Amino acid sequence: MLAPVVMPTVSVAQVVYGNLGSSGTGALGGTNTDVDLTNWPAQGFSTGTSTDLNVQSITMGVFYDNSLTGPFTVSLYADASGQPAGTSFATSSATTIGTNALYTFPFTGLTLAPNTTYWTRPAVGLSWYRNQGETAPTAQNGSGYSYVGTSITADGGSTYGPVNAGYSISINAVPEPASVGLMALGAAGLGITALRRMRRG
């Protein structure tokens, strides 16, 4: 009798948070805010009890120019008393941006902590568009993430104030490596139990 083969758990990135729908492809609205040297809009979220903490990418609706393109990034900030900390702790790989559209910014080796608040902000030089309907981001695909707020500073980060919630965002993540390992062990355990039952039968 052939023993059942237990395959390792493969994690597929999924949308865990945002206001562009469960697939991260929702429509953009027509309202935007430019990000310049002193004007920084930032959006806060909490990871809650989610295990989908290994961020693969962040998608935003942004604009640079109708005829030119340029490389831009998205950065993440820790929370400092309800607003972004002064310095980012993670920055995406650069993505080429041109006309107003959804663009995806990849991250490598970025694992967030559970029950922790973070802030996102596109790079200086971009216009960040709100989603269609200007709705606040929410947890997607049962992730447990939650929206904290949207703030903007006009003085380069010294003080922030609340603004409309609807800036477009979609975060894609997978379980952190430790969680994947535990799931694989669990699957292996089920396979061994099933094999023992088959042998008894």
Side-chain angles (χ1 to χ4, degrees):
M1 180 181 298
L2 293 175
V5 177
V6 179
M7 299 299 292
T9 302
V10 178
S11 297
V12 178
Q14 65 173 353
V15 176
V16 294
Y17 170 83
N19 53 12
L20 297 169
S22 60
S23 63
T25 56
L28 297 177
T31 305
N32 68 289
T33 291
D34 294 335
V35 188
D36 59 34
L37 291 176
T38 57
N39 187 71
W40 303 344
Q43 194 178 86
F45 66 92
S46 172
T47 52
T49 58
S50 178
T51 58
D52 292 319
L53 299 172
N54 187 1
V55 175
Q56 305 293 294
S57 63
I58 293 178
T59 297
M60 289 181 175
V62 291
F63 168 81
Y64 171 54
D65 192 271
N66 282 322
S67 57
L68 301 174
T69 61
F72 291 92
T73 59
V74 165
S75 295
L76 272 82
Y77 296 76
D79 179 72
S81 302
Q83 66 182 40
T87 305
S88 66
F89 70 88
T91 299
S92 71
S93 300
T95 293
T96 301
I97 310 298
T99 58
N100 178 23
L102 292 177
Y103 294 92
T104 297
F105 301 85
F107 284 84
T108 302
L110 174 58
T111 301
L112 304 180
N115 298 302
T116 303
T117 295
Y118 298 97
W119 294 83
T120 58
R121 179 175 67 82
V124 168
L126 292 177
S127 294
W128 188 5
Y129 275 76
R130 295 174 184 167
N131 74 323
Q132 192 173 74
E134 302 189 3
T135 55
T138 60
Q140 299 292 331
N141 298 304
S143 70
Y145 280 56
S146 62
Y147 172 68
V148 169
T150 303
S151 293
I152 194 166
T153 178
D155 54 17
S158 296
T159 57
Y160 280 82
V163 291
N164 182 288
Y167 288 104
S168 56
I169 189 169
S170 184
I171 298 178
N172 288 270
V174 297
E176 57 181 324
S179 299
V180 174
L182 289 173
M183 288 188 288
L185 286 173
L190 290 174
I192 292 170
T193 300
L195 179 60
R196 285 176 177 167
R197 286 176 179 165
M198 288 172 62
R199 285 177 175 167
R200 287 196 199 110

